[in-house]
Amino acid sequence: MPPLRSSAPLVLVVLLLAACASTPREANRAPKPVADTPASVPANRNLRRGMTEQEIRSVWGEPIAVHAGKTPGESILVYRFDVLTTQRMVATGVDHIPAVDPVSGVPRTVLDPVFSPQQVTVVQTIVLQLQDGKLASWARQLGEQRRFD
């Protein structure tokens, strides 16, 4: 019979493999979207060529703008929605603070930044080109809107 010390690494490897095999796979999946907006439309409801305008509107709702295209039978639908809103502190000014240099004793002015909260919203714009009432192509663009409250 082999000594217990020589079989310890083998037991350790078997235990590690057993632990890996029982790890739930759910942890590796992406979280489900919270809201059912165009930014989080499930894969089976994404855009595809040939969709009718009615199908697009039933999934995505009303566009913010509709334009006539350059050619007969062409129309453009524009959708815009917020993807992410966050707030950050941004230097918006400077305070001039009188001070005295501790080494030389010379009066000086210290510049101290003034910070204000800025709301930043990432906006996605989707432009759909329809030809004869069916989706022919589309383009997506990300942008930012910034404002101070």
Side-chain angles (χ1 to χ4, degrees), residues 82-101:
D82 297 347
V83 177
L84 171 72
T85 300
T86 187
Q87 188 174 11
R88 62 179 94 158
M89 299 301 285
V90 178
T92 55
V94 178
D95 279 342
H96 298 273
I97 302 172
V100 176
D101 188 319

Side-chain angles (χ1 to χ4, degrees), residues 47 60 77-79 124-129 135 137-142:
L47 296 172
W60 291 54
L77 304 178
V78 180
Y79 287 89
Q124 182 176 31
T125 303
I126 301 176
V127 179
L128 308 175
Q129 177 195 23
L135 183 61
S137 66
W138 62 90
R140 298 175 192 241
Q141 179 181 9
L142 290 177

Side-chain angles (χ1 to χ4, degrees), residues 14-63:
V14 169
L15 288 174
L16 285 174
L17 289 175
C20 291
S22 64
T23 302
R25 301 269 183 222
E26 296 298 320
N28 295 333
R29 291 190 183 155
K32 290 185 179 182
V34 176
D36 194 17
T37 62
S40 60
V41 173
N44 62 347
R45 291 176 41 182
N46 279 342
L47 296 172
R48 61 187 182 285
R49 283 188 170 78
M51 286 179 78
T52 66
E53 185 174 346
Q54 188 67 14
E55 290 173 325
I56 295 167
R57 287 177 186 249
S58 70
V59 173
W60 291 54
E62 290 299 313

